[in-house]
mmCIF file of all heavy atoms in Angstrom:
data_model
loop_
_atom_site.group_PDB
_atom_site.id
_atom_site.type_symbol
_atom_site.label_atom_id
_atom_site.label_comp_id
_atom_site.label_asym_id
_atom_site.label_seq_id
_atom_site.Cartn_x
_atom_site.Cartn_y
_atom_site.Cartn_z
ATOM 1 N N ALA A 36 -24.655 -94.631 -2.217
ATOM 2 C CA ALA A 36 -24.209 -93.235 -2.272
ATOM 3 C C ALA A 36 -22.756 -93.142 -1.872
ATOM 4 O O ALA A 36 -21.950 -92.479 -2.564
ATOM 5 C CB ALA A 36 -25.066 -92.321 -1.362
ATOM 6 N N ARG A 37 -22.373 -93.832 -0.821
ATOM 7 C CA ARG A 37 -20.996 -93.826 -0.365
ATOM 8 C C ARG A 37 -20.047 -94.406 -1.426
ATOM 9 O O ARG A 37 -19.038 -93.811 -1.758
ATOM 10 C CB ARG A 37 -20.824 -94.591 0.918
ATOM 11 C CG ARG A 37 -19.368 -94.652 1.503
ATOM 12 C CD ARG A 37 -19.143 -95.810 2.408
ATOM 13 N NE ARG A 37 -19.530 -97.086 1.724
ATOM 14 C CZ ARG A 37 -19.599 -98.270 2.403
ATOM 15 N NH1 ARG A 37 -19.378 -98.283 3.758
ATOM 16 N NH2 ARG A 37 -19.836 -99.385 1.782
ATOM 17 N N ASP A 38 -20.396 -95.497 -1.950
ATOM 18 C CA ASP A 38 -19.531 -96.132 -3.014
ATOM 19 C C ASP A 38 -19.447 -95.273 -4.258
ATOM 20 O O ASP A 38 -18.365 -95.225 -4.853
ATOM 21 C CB ASP A 38 -20.064 -97.555 -3.365
ATOM 22 C CG ASP A 38 -19.983 -98.518 -2.214
ATOM 23 O OD1 ASP A 38 -19.262 -98.253 -1.235
ATOM 24 O OD2 ASP A 38 -20.701 -99.570 -2.244
ATOM 25 N N PHE A 39 -20.519 -94.630 -4.635
ATOM 26 C CA PHE A 39 -20.536 -93.720 -5.763
ATOM 27 C C PHE A 39 -19.456 -92.616 -5.595
ATOM 28 O O PHE A 39 -18.610 -92.360 -6.433
ATOM 29 C CB PHE A 39 -21.905 -93.142 -5.964
ATOM 30 C CG PHE A 39 -21.950 -92.004 -6.971
ATOM 31 C CD1 PHE A 39 -21.808 -92.291 -8.312
ATOM 32 C CD2 PHE A 39 -22.300 -90.730 -6.515
ATOM 33 C CE1 PHE A 39 -21.862 -91.223 -9.281
ATOM 34 C CE2 PHE A 39 -22.323 -89.684 -7.505
ATOM 35 C CZ PHE A 39 -22.147 -90.008 -8.866
ATOM 36 N N TYR A 40 -19.498 -91.982 -4.381
ATOM 37 C CA TYR A 40 -18.564 -90.865 -4.157
ATOM 38 C C TYR A 40 -17.131 -91.371 -3.856
ATOM 39 O O TYR A 40 -16.134 -90.702 -4.284
ATOM 40 C CB TYR A 40 -19.096 -89.971 -2.995
ATOM 41 C CG TYR A 40 -20.124 -89.080 -3.485
ATOM 42 C CD1 TYR A 40 -21.494 -89.317 -3.151
ATOM 43 C CD2 TYR A 40 -19.829 -87.952 -4.256
ATOM 44 C CE1 TYR A 40 -22.479 -88.436 -3.641
ATOM 45 C CE2 TYR A 40 -20.800 -87.041 -4.673
ATOM 46 C CZ TYR A 40 -22.164 -87.330 -4.368
ATOM 47 O OH TYR A 40 -23.128 -86.533 -4.799
ATOM 48 N N ASP A 41 -16.992 -92.508 -3.211
ATOM 49 C CA ASP A 41 -15.642 -93.008 -2.963
ATOM 50 C C ASP A 41 -14.924 -93.304 -4.313
ATOM 51 O O ASP A 41 -13.767 -92.999 -4.559
ATOM 52 C CB ASP A 41 -15.763 -94.241 -2.153
ATOM 53 C CG ASP A 41 -15.720 -93.966 -0.665
ATOM 54 O OD1 ASP A 41 -15.528 -92.796 -0.263
ATOM 55 O OD2 ASP A 41 -15.963 -94.954 0.138
ATOM 56 N N ARG A 42 -15.699 -93.928 -5.218
ATOM 57 C CA ARG A 42 -15.093 -94.185 -6.547
ATOM 58 C C ARG A 42 -14.861 -92.935 -7.341
ATOM 59 O O ARG A 42 -13.749 -92.752 -7.957
ATOM 60 C CB ARG A 42 -16.019 -95.173 -7.392
ATOM 61 C CG ARG A 42 -16.073 -96.537 -6.832
ATOM 62 C CD ARG A 42 -16.631 -97.485 -7.926
ATOM 63 N NE ARG A 42 -18.002 -97.046 -8.283
ATOM 64 C CZ ARG A 42 -19.102 -97.428 -7.661
ATOM 65 N NH1 ARG A 42 -19.031 -98.215 -6.606
ATOM 66 N NH2 ARG A 42 -20.304 -96.961 -8.061
ATOM 67 N N TRP A 43 -15.827 -92.030 -7.373
ATOM 68 C CA TRP A 43 -15.686 -90.841 -8.201
ATOM 69 C C TRP A 43 -14.606 -89.919 -7.735
ATOM 70 O O TRP A 43 -13.738 -89.477 -8.508
ATOM 71 C CB TRP A 43 -17.030 -90.058 -8.130
ATOM 72 C CG TRP A 43 -17.047 -88.842 -9.017
ATOM 73 C CD1 TRP A 43 -16.293 -88.570 -10.137
ATOM 74 C CD2 TRP A 43 -17.903 -87.633 -8.819
ATOM 75 N NE1 TRP A 43 -16.563 -87.329 -10.642
ATOM 76 C CE2 TRP A 43 -17.576 -86.771 -9.864
ATOM 77 C CE3 TRP A 43 -18.846 -87.306 -7.877
ATOM 78 C CZ2 TRP A 43 -18.166 -85.501 -9.909
ATOM 79 C CZ3 TRP A 43 -19.446 -86.077 -7.985
ATOM 80 C CH2 TRP A 43 -19.138 -85.156 -8.983
ATOM 81 N N ILE A 44 -14.479 -89.715 -6.414
ATOM 82 C CA ILE A 44 -13.514 -88.776 -5.882
ATOM 83 C C ILE A 44 -12.205 -89.394 -5.609
ATOM 84 O O ILE A 44 -11.119 -88.749 -5.686
ATOM 85 C CB ILE A 44 -14.066 -88.132 -4.552
ATOM 86 C CG1 ILE A 44 -15.443 -87.369 -4.858
ATOM 87 C CG2 ILE A 44 -13.084 -87.151 -3.913
ATOM 88 C CD1 ILE A 44 -15.243 -86.266 -5.941
ATOM 89 N N GLY A 45 -12.147 -90.689 -5.276
ATOM 90 C CA GLY A 45 -10.957 -91.324 -4.800
ATOM 91 C C GLY A 45 -9.999 -91.801 -5.880
ATOM 92 O O GLY A 45 -8.843 -92.189 -5.568
ATOM 93 N N GLU A 46 -10.437 -91.898 -7.080
ATOM 94 C CA GLU A 46 -9.596 -92.423 -8.176
ATOM 95 C C GLU A 46 -8.654 -91.353 -8.671
ATOM 96 O O GLU A 46 -8.698 -90.239 -8.236
ATOM 97 C CB GLU A 46 -10.476 -92.998 -9.287
ATOM 98 C CG GLU A 46 -11.273 -94.289 -8.765
ATOM 99 C CD GLU A 46 -12.159 -94.857 -9.874
ATOM 100 O OE1 GLU A 46 -12.223 -94.207 -10.933
ATOM 101 O OE2 GLU A 46 -12.834 -95.839 -9.529
ATOM 102 N N SER A 47 -7.877 -91.718 -9.672
ATOM 103 C CA SER A 47 -6.807 -90.835 -10.177
ATOM 104 C C SER A 47 -7.067 -90.314 -11.607
ATOM 105 O O SER A 47 -6.252 -89.583 -12.158
ATOM 106 C CB SER A 47 -5.444 -91.468 -10.128
ATOM 107 O OG SER A 47 -5.435 -92.681 -10.910
ATOM 108 N N GLY A 48 -8.195 -90.761 -12.193
ATOM 109 C CA GLY A 48 -8.474 -90.356 -13.608
ATOM 110 C C GLY A 48 -9.018 -88.891 -13.688
ATOM 111 O O GLY A 48 -9.191 -88.225 -12.716
ATOM 112 N N PHE A 49 -9.295 -88.523 -14.955
ATOM 113 C CA PHE A 49 -9.798 -87.193 -15.263
ATOM 114 C C PHE A 49 -11.112 -86.867 -14.519
ATOM 115 O O PHE A 49 -11.356 -85.770 -13.971
ATOM 116 C CB PHE A 49 -9.964 -86.975 -16.723
ATOM 117 C CG PHE A 49 -10.624 -85.687 -17.101
ATOM 118 C CD1 PHE A 49 -9.842 -84.491 -17.021
ATOM 119 C CD2 PHE A 49 -11.909 -85.595 -17.486
ATOM 120 C CE1 PHE A 49 -10.376 -83.258 -17.376
ATOM 121 C CE2 PHE A 49 -12.429 -84.371 -17.854
ATOM 122 C CZ PHE A 49 -11.733 -83.226 -17.784
ATOM 123 N N ALA A 50 -12.049 -87.833 -14.541
ATOM 124 C CA ALA A 50 -13.364 -87.664 -13.925
ATOM 125 C C ALA A 50 -13.195 -87.334 -12.418
ATOM 126 O O ALA A 50 -13.945 -86.450 -11.860
ATOM 127 C CB ALA A 50 -14.251 -88.893 -14.083
ATOM 128 N N SER A 51 -12.321 -88.002 -11.752
ATOM 129 C CA SER A 51 -12.078 -87.784 -10.269
ATOM 130 C C SER A 51 -11.426 -86.407 -10.092
ATOM 131 O O SER A 51 -11.813 -85.691 -9.164
ATOM 132 C CB SER A 51 -11.253 -88.882 -9.724
ATOM 133 O OG SER A 51 -11.877 -90.114 -9.691
ATOM 134 N N LEU A 52 -10.465 -86.076 -10.921
ATOM 135 C CA LEU A 52 -9.885 -84.696 -10.837
ATOM 136 C C LEU A 52 -10.888 -83.625 -10.994
ATOM 137 O O LEU A 52 -10.935 -82.638 -10.307
ATOM 138 C CB LEU A 52 -8.783 -84.613 -11.860
ATOM 139 C CG LEU A 52 -7.520 -85.453 -11.633
ATOM 140 C CD1 LEU A 52 -6.567 -85.361 -12.810
ATOM 141 C CD2 LEU A 52 -6.825 -85.014 -10.339
ATOM 142 N N LEU A 53 -11.802 -83.850 -12.049
ATOM 143 C CA LEU A 53 -12.891 -82.864 -12.292
ATOM 144 C C LEU A 53 -13.868 -82.826 -11.053
ATOM 145 O O LEU A 53 -14.291 -81.713 -10.662
ATOM 146 C CB LEU A 53 -13.576 -83.218 -13.568
ATOM 147 C CG LEU A 53 -14.743 -82.249 -13.933
ATOM 148 C CD1 LEU A 53 -14.233 -80.888 -14.226
ATOM 149 C CD2 LEU A 53 -15.483 -82.827 -15.195
ATOM 150 N N GLY A 54 -14.201 -84.010 -10.498
ATOM 151 C CA GLY A 54 -15.072 -84.038 -9.370
ATOM 152 C C GLY A 54 -14.503 -83.286 -8.190
ATOM 153 O O GLY A 54 -15.192 -82.481 -7.493
ATOM 154 N N ARG A 55 -13.232 -83.433 -7.841
ATOM 155 C CA ARG A 55 -12.654 -82.767 -6.742
ATOM 156 C C ARG A 55 -12.528 -81.327 -6.979
ATOM 157 O O ARG A 55 -12.787 -80.437 -6.079
ATOM 158 C CB ARG A 55 -11.168 -83.360 -6.527
ATOM 159 C CG ARG A 55 -11.243 -84.746 -6.035
ATOM 160 C CD ARG A 55 -9.823 -85.188 -5.459
ATOM 161 N NE ARG A 55 -8.847 -85.277 -6.478
ATOM 162 C CZ ARG A 55 -8.639 -86.400 -7.218
ATOM 163 N NH1 ARG A 55 -9.354 -87.446 -7.009
ATOM 164 N NH2 ARG A 55 -7.593 -86.461 -8.028
ATOM 165 N N LEU A 56 -12.398 -80.885 -8.250
ATOM 166 C CA LEU A 56 -12.398 -79.440 -8.593
ATOM 167 C C LEU A 56 -13.793 -78.864 -8.313
ATOM 168 O O LEU A 56 -13.916 -77.768 -7.756
ATOM 169 C CB LEU A 56 -11.964 -79.201 -10.003
ATOM 170 C CG LEU A 56 -12.077 -77.792 -10.544
ATOM 171 C CD1 LEU A 56 -11.126 -76.862 -9.762
ATOM 172 C CD2 LEU A 56 -11.715 -77.692 -12.056
ATOM 173 N N ILE A 57 -14.806 -79.597 -8.802
ATOM 174 C CA ILE A 57 -16.188 -79.117 -8.644
ATOM 175 C C ILE A 57 -16.512 -78.951 -7.062
ATOM 176 O O ILE A 57 -17.084 -77.967 -6.699
ATOM 177 C CB ILE A 57 -17.155 -80.143 -9.220
ATOM 178 C CG1 ILE A 57 -17.075 -80.106 -10.701
ATOM 179 C CG2 ILE A 57 -18.595 -79.887 -8.786
ATOM 180 C CD1 ILE A 57 -17.840 -81.231 -11.460
ATOM 181 N N PHE A 58 -16.073 -79.872 -6.275
ATOM 182 C CA PHE A 58 -16.340 -79.822 -4.927
ATOM 183 C C PHE A 58 -15.540 -78.697 -4.203
ATOM 184 O O PHE A 58 -16.048 -78.013 -3.221
ATOM 185 C CB PHE A 58 -16.132 -81.120 -4.164
ATOM 186 C CG PHE A 58 -17.278 -82.066 -4.274
ATOM 187 C CD1 PHE A 58 -17.262 -83.016 -5.330
ATOM 188 C CD2 PHE A 58 -18.340 -81.970 -3.429
ATOM 189 C CE1 PHE A 58 -18.387 -83.884 -5.424
ATOM 190 C CE2 PHE A 58 -19.424 -82.846 -3.542
ATOM 191 C CZ PHE A 58 -19.403 -83.837 -4.569
ATOM 192 N N ARG A 59 -14.365 -78.446 -4.686
ATOM 193 C CA ARG A 59 -13.597 -77.290 -4.119
ATOM 194 C C ARG A 59 -14.225 -75.986 -4.523
ATOM 195 O O ARG A 59 -14.278 -75.059 -3.691
ATOM 196 C CB ARG A 59 -12.193 -77.341 -4.635
ATOM 197 C CG ARG A 59 -11.317 -78.502 -4.041
ATOM 198 C CD ARG A 59 -9.859 -78.350 -4.390
ATOM 199 N NE ARG A 59 -9.149 -79.443 -3.868
ATOM 200 C CZ ARG A 59 -8.683 -80.508 -4.602
ATOM 201 N NH1 ARG A 59 -8.835 -80.496 -5.897
ATOM 202 N NH2 ARG A 59 -8.046 -81.485 -4.030
ATOM 203 N N LEU A 60 -14.803 -75.873 -5.738
ATOM 204 C CA LEU A 60 -15.500 -74.682 -6.116
ATOM 205 C C LEU A 60 -16.807 -74.404 -5.423
ATOM 206 O O LEU A 60 -17.320 -73.328 -5.390
ATOM 207 C CB LEU A 60 -15.668 -74.685 -7.648
ATOM 208 C CG LEU A 60 -14.480 -74.569 -8.533
ATOM 209 C CD1 LEU A 60 -14.855 -74.784 -9.985
ATOM 210 C CD2 LEU A 60 -13.787 -73.210 -8.325
ATOM 211 N N SER A 61 -17.380 -75.552 -4.871
ATOM 212 C CA SER A 61 -18.737 -75.420 -4.192
ATOM 213 C C SER A 61 -18.667 -74.397 -3.054
ATOM 214 O O SER A 61 -19.608 -73.747 -2.732
ATOM 215 C CB SER A 61 -19.171 -76.736 -3.722
ATOM 216 O OG SER A 61 -18.365 -77.253 -2.681
ATOM 217 N N GLY A 62 -17.524 -74.254 -2.425
ATOM 218 C CA GLY A 62 -17.348 -73.290 -1.366
ATOM 219 C C GLY A 62 -17.659 -71.915 -1.823
ATOM 220 O O GLY A 62 -18.401 -71.123 -1.189
ATOM 221 N N ALA A 63 -17.115 -71.523 -2.968
ATOM 222 C CA ALA A 63 -17.342 -70.211 -3.588
ATOM 223 C C ALA A 63 -18.782 -70.056 -4.046
ATOM 224 O O ALA A 63 -19.368 -68.971 -3.923
ATOM 225 C CB ALA A 63 -16.345 -69.973 -4.723
ATOM 226 N N VAL A 64 -19.366 -71.137 -4.594
ATOM 227 C CA VAL A 64 -20.683 -71.029 -5.214
ATOM 228 C C VAL A 64 -21.778 -70.909 -4.115
ATOM 229 O O VAL A 64 -22.710 -70.096 -4.254
ATOM 230 C CB VAL A 64 -20.992 -72.285 -6.078
ATOM 231 C CG1 VAL A 64 -22.405 -72.253 -6.575
ATOM 232 C CG2 VAL A 64 -19.969 -72.281 -7.291
ATOM 233 N N TYR A 65 -21.699 -71.657 -3.042
ATOM 234 C CA TYR A 65 -22.766 -71.765 -2.107
ATOM 235 C C TYR A 65 -22.574 -70.961 -0.838
ATOM 236 O O TYR A 65 -23.591 -70.768 -0.140
ATOM 237 C CB TYR A 65 -22.940 -73.252 -1.696
ATOM 238 C CG TYR A 65 -23.430 -74.173 -2.792
ATOM 239 C CD1 TYR A 65 -22.657 -75.179 -3.240
ATOM 240 C CD2 TYR A 65 -24.676 -73.947 -3.360
ATOM 241 C CE1 TYR A 65 -23.084 -76.036 -4.317
ATOM 242 C CE2 TYR A 65 -25.163 -74.793 -4.383
ATOM 243 C CZ TYR A 65 -24.361 -75.847 -4.815
ATOM 244 O OH TYR A 65 -24.790 -76.670 -5.812
ATOM 245 N N THR A 66 -21.383 -70.537 -0.515
ATOM 246 C CA THR A 66 -21.167 -69.901 0.793
ATOM 247 C C THR A 66 -21.962 -68.670 1.005
ATOM 248 O O THR A 66 -22.553 -68.456 2.100
ATOM 249 C CB THR A 66 -19.700 -69.656 0.996
ATOM 250 O OG1 THR A 66 -18.910 -70.910 0.914
ATOM 251 C CG2 THR A 66 -19.393 -69.029 2.360
ATOM 252 N N ARG A 67 -22.021 -67.752 0.048
ATOM 253 C CA ARG A 67 -22.706 -66.504 0.253
ATOM 254 C C ARG A 67 -24.216 -66.750 0.604
ATOM 255 O O ARG A 67 -24.682 -66.135 1.553
ATOM 256 C CB ARG A 67 -22.674 -65.654 -1.014
ATOM 257 C CG ARG A 67 -23.285 -64.258 -0.894
ATOM 258 C CD ARG A 67 -23.314 -63.543 -2.180
ATOM 259 N NE ARG A 67 -21.978 -63.278 -2.705
ATOM 260 C CZ ARG A 67 -21.313 -62.170 -2.337
ATOM 261 N NH1 ARG A 67 -21.871 -61.260 -1.619
ATOM 262 N NH2 ARG A 67 -20.146 -61.971 -2.889
ATOM 263 N N THR A 68 -24.841 -67.687 -0.109
ATOM 264 C CA THR A 68 -26.187 -67.979 0.201
ATOM 265 C C THR A 68 -26.382 -68.650 1.572
ATOM 266 O O THR A 68 -27.294 -68.275 2.338
ATOM 267 C CB THR A 68 -26.780 -68.949 -0.885
ATOM 268 O OG1 THR A 68 -26.717 -68.339 -2.141
ATOM 269 C CG2 THR A 68 -28.235 -69.371 -0.565
ATOM 270 N N PHE A 69 -25.412 -69.566 1.904
ATOM 271 C CA PHE A 69 -25.508 -70.263 3.183
ATOM 272 C C PHE A 69 -25.412 -69.277 4.330
ATOM 273 O O PHE A 69 -26.209 -69.194 5.338
ATOM 274 C CB PHE A 69 -24.379 -71.228 3.268
ATOM 275 C CG PHE A 69 -24.327 -71.952 4.635
ATOM 276 C CD1 PHE A 69 -25.422 -72.466 5.255
ATOM 277 C CD2 PHE A 69 -23.075 -72.073 5.219
ATOM 278 C CE1 PHE A 69 -25.347 -73.019 6.480
ATOM 279 C CE2 PHE A 69 -22.956 -72.757 6.459
ATOM 280 C CZ PHE A 69 -24.138 -73.235 7.119
#
């Protein structure tokens, strides 16, 4: 699990940029419910 996220989030390609955007948006998506 750690290696999966380190590679996905830590690289510089489009997939990593998209991944970081998704995680930043998670605050808006989940916070109200939390």
Side-chain angles (χ1 to χ4, degrees):
R37 178 200 59 191
D38 293 346
F39 170 69
Y40 280 103
D41 275 352
R42 288 195 304 272
W43 182 26
I44 300 301
E46 295 178 356
S47 58
F49 175 75
S51 293
L52 291 172
L53 180 61
R55 292 194 290 272
L56 176 61
I57 290 170
F58 277 96
R59 290 190 182 102
L60 290 174
S61 66
V64 173
Y65 292 117
T66 299
R67 182 187 297 271
T68 299
F69 176 47

